[in-house]
Amino acid sequence: MDYKIELIPLAVTDVDRARGFYGDALGWSVDHDQTVSSDLRFVQVTPPGSACSICFGIGLDMMPRGSSQFIQVVVADADAALAELRERGVECEGVDEQPWGRFVYFQDPDGNRWALQQIIRPA
């Protein structure tokens, strides 16, 4: 049996700000932004090339208020990922070189943290 992760919830304090960060600043696809009522809004965004999306909104009750996530994503090239983030004005540090991979870290305005990992294959 295959298990495919499809959706990861994030807790955010300002849905419009989060939508702007993920959709505009990062350039990720905004798949859904549905406001059902003033008490219920669902936003889903997907990173380029990913089969897994993230969601946030109002009234979803998926995560406790004030919580945050740490999500790791695999990229082909950490240097290219760093350059793209900086070009888009996303605050991040340089590439963190580890024996098991090369990492670029950033976080959204609500403190949800992301690690972009370039996997290093043994020679």
Side-chain angles (χ1 to χ4, degrees), residues 19-122:
R19 186 189 190 282
F21 178 78
Y22 288 101
D24 299 331
L26 291 179
W28 295 3
S29 172
V30 178
D31 306 319
H32 300 286
D33 186 349
Q34 183 73 38
T35 301
V36 176
S37 69
S38 61
D39 297 327
L40 185 58
R41 180 177 177 190
F42 177 82
V43 179
Q44 178 177 318
V45 299
T46 305
S50 178
C52 183
S53 301
I54 63 168
C55 71
F56 48 86
I58 299 168
L60 302 179
D61 297 328
M62 292 181 172
M63 300 207 40
R65 283 194 180 275
S67 62
S68 66
Q69 291 276 41
F70 181 89
I71 301 170
Q72 186 165 305
V73 178
V74 173
V75 296
D77 183 333
D79 295 303
L82 177 65
E84 181 178 329
L85 289 172
R86 286 184 171 163
E87 182 178 294
R88 293 180 161 281
V90 176
E91 200 172 308
C92 52
E93 296 183 19
V95 176
D96 178 19
E97 304 278 350
Q98 298 295 329
W100 53 88
R102 305 176 74 233
F103 297 84
V104 175
Y105 302 99
F106 70 93
Q107 65 182 6
D108 74 9
D110 289 287
N112 292 295
R113 297 171 299 141
W114 293 82
L116 307 181
Q117 178 191 18
Q118 175 185 347
I119 296 174
I120 302 298
R121 307 252 188 257

